[in-house]
Amino acid sequence: MRENGPVISATRQPGTPAAAVPPRLIATDLDGTLLRDDKSVSPRTVAALAAAEEAGIEVFFVTGRPARWMDVVSDHVHGHGLAICGNGAAVVDLHGGPGAHRFVKVRELARAGALDAVRRLRTAAPGTVFAVEQTYGFHQEPDYPKLHMEIPDNLLPAERLLAPDGPDADQPVLKILAYHPDLDPDAFLTLARVAIADRANVTRSSPSALLELSGPEVSKASTLALCCAERGISHEEVVAFGDMPNDLEMLTWAGRSYAMGNAHPDVIAAASGRTVANNEDGVAVVIEELLAERF
Protein backbone atom coordinates (compact mmCIF):
# COMPACT_ATOMS: atom_id res chain seq x y z
CA MET A 1 0.00 0.00 0.00
CA ARG A 2 0.97 3.65 -0.22
CA GLU A 3 1.21 5.48 3.07
CA ASN A 4 -2.43 6.61 3.11
CA GLY A 5 -3.90 4.37 0.42
CA PRO A 6 -5.81 1.10 0.45
CA VAL A 7 -4.09 -2.15 1.29
CA ILE A 8 -2.94 -4.14 -1.75
CA SER A 9 -2.79 -7.82 -0.90
CA ALA A 10 0.18 -9.94 -1.86
CA THR A 11 -0.74 -12.47 -4.51
CA ARG A 12 0.40 -15.97 -5.34
CA GLN A 13 1.36 -16.86 -8.89
CA PRO A 14 -1.47 -18.45 -10.91
CA GLY A 15 -1.85 -22.14 -10.25
CA THR A 16 0.39 -22.10 -7.18
CA PRO A 17 -1.41 -23.33 -4.04
CA ALA A 18 -0.90 -21.47 -0.79
CA ALA A 19 1.68 -23.06 1.47
CA ALA A 20 0.00 -25.10 4.19
CA VAL A 21 3.00 -25.19 6.51
CA PRO A 22 3.08 -22.37 9.09
CA PRO A 23 6.21 -20.24 8.66
CA ARG A 24 8.99 -20.39 11.24
CA LEU A 25 11.49 -18.14 9.48
CA ILE A 26 11.30 -15.09 7.21
CA ALA A 27 14.31 -14.48 4.96
CA THR A 28 14.38 -11.09 3.31
CA ASP A 29 16.73 -9.31 0.97
CA LEU A 30 17.41 -5.64 1.78
CA ASP A 31 18.05 -3.33 -1.18
CA GLY A 32 15.04 -3.17 -3.48
CA THR A 33 13.12 -5.44 -1.11
CA LEU A 34 12.90 -4.55 2.59
CA LEU A 35 14.48 -1.12 2.19
CA ARG A 36 12.81 1.71 0.38
CA ASP A 37 14.75 3.40 -2.40
CA ASP A 38 16.05 5.99 0.08
CA LYS A 39 17.53 3.06 2.08
CA SER A 40 15.13 3.58 4.98
CA VAL A 41 13.00 1.00 6.78
CA SER A 42 9.46 2.31 6.97
CA PRO A 43 7.58 2.44 10.29
CA ARG A 44 5.11 -0.10 8.91
CA THR A 45 7.93 -2.52 8.07
CA VAL A 46 9.58 -2.01 11.47
CA ALA A 47 6.28 -2.89 13.14
CA ALA A 48 5.78 -5.96 10.93
CA LEU A 49 9.26 -7.31 11.67
CA ALA A 50 8.73 -6.83 15.40
CA ALA A 51 5.33 -8.53 15.22
CA ALA A 52 6.81 -11.52 13.40
CA GLU A 53 9.50 -11.97 16.03
CA GLU A 54 6.91 -11.55 18.80
CA ALA A 55 4.90 -14.34 17.17
CA GLY A 56 7.94 -16.64 17.29
CA ILE A 57 8.94 -16.31 13.62
CA GLU A 58 12.66 -15.68 13.16
CA VAL A 59 13.69 -12.96 10.73
CA PHE A 60 16.92 -13.24 8.75
CA PHE A 61 18.27 -10.38 6.68
CA VAL A 62 19.86 -12.05 3.64
CA THR A 63 21.79 -9.58 1.52
CA GLY A 64 24.64 -9.00 -0.88
CA ARG A 65 25.81 -6.18 1.38
CA PRO A 66 29.03 -6.53 3.39
CA ALA A 67 28.76 -6.53 7.17
CA ARG A 68 29.93 -2.92 7.44
CA TRP A 69 26.89 -1.77 5.44
CA MET A 70 24.39 -3.35 7.84
CA ASP A 71 23.85 -0.20 9.90
CA VAL A 72 20.63 0.36 7.93
CA VAL A 73 18.98 -2.50 9.85
CA SER A 74 21.06 -2.73 13.04
CA ASP A 75 18.36 -0.85 14.95
CA HIS A 76 15.78 -3.43 13.91
CA VAL A 77 17.54 -6.57 15.11
CA HIS A 78 15.42 -8.86 17.22
CA GLY A 79 16.05 -12.26 18.79
CA HIS A 80 19.17 -13.93 17.43
CA GLY A 81 20.41 -10.83 15.57
CA LEU A 82 22.02 -12.79 12.75
CA ALA A 83 22.28 -11.70 9.12
CA ILE A 84 23.59 -13.43 6.01
CA CYS A 85 25.88 -11.03 4.17
CA GLY A 86 27.88 -11.05 0.95
CA ASN A 87 25.37 -13.28 -0.90
CA GLY A 88 25.96 -16.07 1.61
CA ALA A 89 29.68 -15.59 2.16
CA ALA A 90 29.25 -14.65 5.83
CA VAL A 91 26.85 -15.04 8.73
CA VAL A 92 27.18 -12.00 10.97
CA ASP A 93 25.97 -11.22 14.49
CA LEU A 94 24.65 -7.65 14.35
CA HIS A 95 24.14 -7.18 18.09
CA GLY A 96 27.38 -5.24 18.46
CA GLY A 97 26.11 -2.46 16.20
CA PRO A 98 27.93 -0.71 13.34
CA GLY A 99 31.67 -1.41 13.37
CA ALA A 100 31.38 -4.14 16.01
CA HIS A 101 29.85 -6.99 14.04
CA ARG A 102 31.02 -10.52 14.80
CA PHE A 103 31.52 -13.06 12.01
CA VAL A 104 29.79 -16.29 13.03
CA LYS A 105 30.43 -18.19 9.80
CA VAL A 106 32.64 -17.40 6.79
CA ARG A 107 32.44 -19.20 3.43
CA GLU A 108 35.36 -17.76 1.54
CA LEU A 109 36.34 -17.69 -2.11
CA ALA A 110 39.77 -19.32 -2.38
CA ARG A 111 42.38 -16.95 -3.76
CA ALA A 112 43.48 -19.40 -6.43
CA GLY A 113 39.92 -19.78 -7.66
CA ALA A 114 39.39 -16.02 -7.53
CA LEU A 115 42.52 -15.40 -9.60
CA ASP A 116 41.45 -17.98 -12.17
CA ALA A 117 37.99 -16.38 -12.42
CA VAL A 118 39.49 -12.89 -12.84
CA ARG A 119 41.78 -14.06 -15.64
CA ARG A 120 38.98 -15.87 -17.45
CA LEU A 121 36.66 -12.89 -17.25
CA ARG A 122 39.35 -10.48 -18.44
CA THR A 123 39.76 -12.67 -21.52
CA ALA A 124 36.04 -13.12 -22.14
CA ALA A 125 35.09 -9.48 -21.51
CA PRO A 126 38.01 -7.08 -22.10
CA GLY A 127 37.57 -3.87 -20.17
CA THR A 128 36.26 -5.57 -17.03
CA VAL A 129 37.57 -4.02 -13.80
CA PHE A 130 37.54 -5.64 -10.38
CA ALA A 131 37.23 -5.03 -6.65
CA VAL A 132 37.90 -7.44 -3.79
CA GLU A 133 35.66 -7.72 -0.72
CA GLN A 134 37.18 -9.27 2.42
CA THR A 135 35.90 -9.70 5.94
CA TYR A 136 37.26 -6.34 7.10
CA GLY A 137 38.71 -4.80 3.95
CA PHE A 138 37.71 -3.48 0.55
CA HIS A 139 40.23 -3.11 -2.28
CA GLN A 140 39.84 -2.19 -5.93
CA GLU A 141 41.65 -1.67 -9.18
CA PRO A 142 42.54 1.95 -10.09
CA ASP A 143 39.98 2.03 -12.93
CA TYR A 144 37.13 0.53 -10.91
CA PRO A 145 34.44 3.26 -10.70
CA LYS A 146 33.21 4.85 -7.49
CA LEU A 147 30.19 2.61 -7.17
CA HIS A 148 30.38 2.40 -3.39
CA MET A 149 30.29 5.16 -0.80
CA GLU A 150 33.63 4.32 0.72
CA ILE A 151 37.34 4.79 0.22
CA PRO A 152 39.12 1.56 -0.78
CA ASP A 153 41.98 0.32 1.38
CA ASN A 154 44.18 -0.28 -1.66
CA LEU A 155 44.24 0.59 -5.38
CA LEU A 156 46.05 -2.25 -7.14
CA PRO A 157 45.47 -4.70 -10.02
CA ALA A 158 43.28 -7.62 -8.98
CA GLU A 159 46.13 -10.06 -9.57
CA ARG A 160 48.17 -8.19 -6.97
CA LEU A 161 45.25 -7.88 -4.55
CA LEU A 162 44.66 -11.64 -4.72
CA ALA A 163 48.31 -12.70 -4.57
CA PRO A 164 49.34 -14.91 -1.62
CA ASP A 165 51.30 -11.97 -0.24
CA GLY A 166 48.74 -9.32 -1.26
CA PRO A 167 47.12 -6.75 1.06
CA ASP A 168 45.31 -8.29 4.03
CA ALA A 169 46.39 -11.74 2.85
CA ASP A 170 45.42 -13.13 6.26
CA GLN A 171 41.76 -12.19 5.69
CA PRO A 172 39.33 -14.41 3.77
CA VAL A 173 38.08 -13.19 0.41
CA LEU A 174 34.28 -13.04 0.55
CA LYS A 175 33.57 -12.02 -3.03
CA ILE A 176 34.94 -10.40 -6.16
CA LEU A 177 33.09 -7.54 -7.83
CA ALA A 178 33.43 -7.28 -11.61
CA TYR A 179 32.25 -4.20 -13.50
CA HIS A 180 32.00 -3.58 -17.21
CA PRO A 181 31.30 -0.06 -18.51
CA ASP A 182 29.53 -1.05 -21.73
CA LEU A 183 27.89 -4.48 -21.57
CA ASP A 184 24.21 -5.13 -20.88
CA PRO A 185 23.92 -6.40 -17.27
CA ASP A 186 22.13 -9.66 -18.10
CA ALA A 187 24.37 -10.32 -21.11
CA PHE A 188 27.42 -9.77 -18.91
CA LEU A 189 26.04 -12.22 -16.35
CA THR A 190 25.48 -14.91 -18.98
CA LEU A 191 28.90 -14.37 -20.51
CA ALA A 192 30.63 -14.54 -17.13
CA ARG A 193 28.86 -17.74 -16.09
CA VAL A 194 30.01 -19.45 -19.27
CA ALA A 195 33.58 -18.17 -18.94
CA ILE A 196 33.98 -18.93 -15.23
CA ALA A 197 31.92 -22.15 -15.16
CA ASP A 198 32.15 -23.89 -11.77
CA ARG A 199 35.15 -21.94 -10.47
CA ALA A 200 32.91 -19.42 -8.72
CA ASN A 201 29.24 -18.67 -8.23
CA VAL A 202 28.39 -15.63 -10.38
CA THR A 203 25.34 -13.43 -9.83
CA ARG A 204 24.26 -9.82 -9.80
CA SER A 205 22.10 -7.48 -7.72
CA SER A 206 22.86 -4.11 -9.32
CA PRO A 207 20.98 -2.48 -12.21
CA SER A 208 24.38 -1.81 -13.80
CA ALA A 209 26.78 -4.35 -15.31
CA LEU A 210 28.23 -5.23 -11.91
CA LEU A 211 28.71 -8.91 -11.11
CA GLU A 212 29.39 -10.61 -7.79
CA LEU A 213 31.62 -13.70 -7.62
CA SER A 214 31.51 -15.97 -4.57
CA GLY A 215 32.80 -19.43 -3.71
CA PRO A 216 31.55 -22.20 -6.04
CA GLU A 217 28.84 -23.47 -3.67
CA VAL A 218 28.12 -20.16 -1.96
CA SER A 219 24.76 -18.46 -2.40
CA LYS A 220 22.09 -16.89 -0.27
CA ALA A 221 20.18 -20.17 -0.49
CA SER A 222 23.01 -22.50 0.52
CA THR A 223 23.98 -20.46 3.57
CA LEU A 224 20.36 -19.96 4.58
CA ALA A 225 19.88 -23.72 4.31
CA LEU A 226 22.82 -24.26 6.68
CA CYS A 227 21.39 -21.79 9.19
CA CYS A 228 17.97 -23.40 8.99
CA ALA A 229 19.38 -26.90 9.43
CA GLU A 230 21.12 -25.75 12.61
CA ARG A 231 17.72 -24.64 13.92
CA GLY A 232 15.75 -27.66 12.77
CA ILE A 233 13.79 -25.55 10.29
CA SER A 234 12.81 -27.10 6.95
CA HIS A 235 12.69 -25.19 3.70
CA GLU A 236 8.89 -25.56 3.70
CA GLU A 237 8.81 -23.43 6.86
CA VAL A 238 10.69 -20.53 5.23
CA VAL A 239 9.14 -17.49 3.56
CA ALA A 240 11.57 -15.54 1.38
CA PHE A 241 11.51 -12.14 -0.35
CA GLY A 242 13.71 -10.76 -3.13
CA ASP A 243 13.98 -8.65 -6.25
CA MET A 244 17.17 -9.46 -8.18
CA PRO A 245 19.02 -12.46 -9.71
CA ASN A 246 21.12 -12.97 -6.57
CA ASP A 247 17.85 -13.90 -4.80
CA LEU A 248 16.78 -16.58 -7.27
CA GLU A 249 18.24 -19.62 -5.51
CA MET A 250 16.81 -18.50 -2.17
CA LEU A 251 13.36 -17.89 -3.63
CA THR A 252 13.20 -21.29 -5.33
CA TRP A 253 14.53 -23.05 -2.19
CA ALA A 254 12.05 -21.53 0.25
CA GLY A 255 8.66 -23.14 0.75
CA ARG A 256 6.95 -19.84 0.04
CA SER A 257 8.55 -16.95 -1.81
CA TYR A 258 7.58 -13.49 -2.98
CA ALA A 259 8.96 -11.32 -5.75
CA MET A 260 8.67 -7.61 -5.16
CA GLY A 261 6.55 -5.54 -7.51
CA ASN A 262 9.77 -3.93 -8.73
CA ALA A 263 11.58 -7.26 -9.23
CA HIS A 264 13.66 -8.48 -12.16
CA PRO A 265 11.54 -10.56 -14.63
CA ASP A 266 13.47 -13.74 -13.79
CA VAL A 267 12.66 -13.26 -10.11
CA ILE A 268 8.97 -12.74 -10.81
CA ALA A 269 8.95 -15.96 -12.85
CA ALA A 270 10.75 -17.96 -10.14
CA ALA A 271 8.88 -16.88 -7.00
CA SER A 272 5.71 -18.63 -5.88
CA GLY A 273 4.02 -15.31 -5.12
CA ARG A 274 4.26 -11.61 -5.76
CA THR A 275 3.82 -8.59 -3.52
CA VAL A 276 3.86 -4.85 -4.10
CA ALA A 277 7.06 -2.83 -4.58
CA ASN A 278 9.64 -2.04 -1.93
CA ASN A 279 8.50 1.59 -1.77
CA GLU A 280 5.00 0.31 -0.96
CA ASP A 281 6.16 -1.89 1.94
CA GLY A 282 5.67 -5.16 0.07
CA VAL A 283 7.43 -7.25 2.73
CA ALA A 284 5.25 -5.79 5.48
CA VAL A 285 2.09 -6.49 3.43
CA VAL A 286 2.92 -10.20 3.32
CA ILE A 287 4.05 -10.45 6.95
CA GLU A 288 0.77 -8.90 8.08
CA GLU A 289 -1.14 -11.47 6.01
CA LEU A 290 0.96 -14.34 7.37
CA LEU A 291 0.27 -13.27 10.93
CA ALA A 292 -3.44 -12.89 10.17
CA GLU A 293 -3.44 -16.48 8.84
CA ARG A 294 -1.91 -17.72 12.10
CA PHE A 295 -4.17 -15.83 14.42
Side-chain angles (χ1 to χ4, degrees), residues 26-199:
I26 290 168
T28 178
D29 174 50
L30 294 182
D31 297 282
T33 300
L34 187 81
L35 303 180
R36 291 190 164 189
D37 287 347
D38 64 2
K39 305 307 178 186
S40 68
V41 184
S42 75
R44 181 180 182 182
T45 299
V46 171
L49 295 176
E53 292 273 4
E54 180 67 23
I57 303 173
E58 292 194 59
V59 176
F60 264 70
F61 301 125
V62 188
T63 177
R65 285 181 172 233
R68 64 183 177 281
W69 288 9
M70 294 300 289
D71 56 302
V72 291
V73 291
S74 289
D75 291 340
H76 312 300
V77 171
H78 304 277
H80 57 79
L82 297 180
I84 296 173
C85 297
N87 291 328
V91 179
V92 183
D93 185 341
L94 302 181
H95 278 128
H101 302 137
R102 180 175 65 88
F103 285 88
V104 176
K105 186 190 303 290
V106 172
R107 305 182 69 197
E108 68 182 295
L109 171 59
R111 285 175 179 262
L115 274 169
D116 190 17
V118 165
R119 290 166 181 155
R120 287 172 175 270
L121 196 48
R122 280 204 201 281
T123 300
T128 302
V129 288
F130 298 90
V132 178
E133 185 74 62
Q134 295 181 261
T135 44
Y136 295 102
F138 177 76
H139 318 277
Q140 67 181 58
E141 295 191 314
D143 291 336
Y144 188 87
K146 293 184 178 180
L147 300 173
H148 317 287
M149 300 300 292
E150 60 186 319
I151 299 173
D153 299 308
N154 288 279
L155 291 171
L156 291 168
E159 289 81 0
R160 183 73 190 98
L161 293 172
L162 294 168
D165 60 348
D168 294 333
D170 59 327
Q171 287 187 32
V173 173
L174 298 185
K175 66 178 180 179
I176 303 297
L177 298 164
Y179 176 81
H180 199 284
D182 303 315
L183 291 176
D184 171 80
D186 285 329
F188 189 31
L189 177 59
T190 299
L191 181 154
R193 284 176 168 169
V194 171
I196 294 171
D198 60 356
R199 291 160 182 82

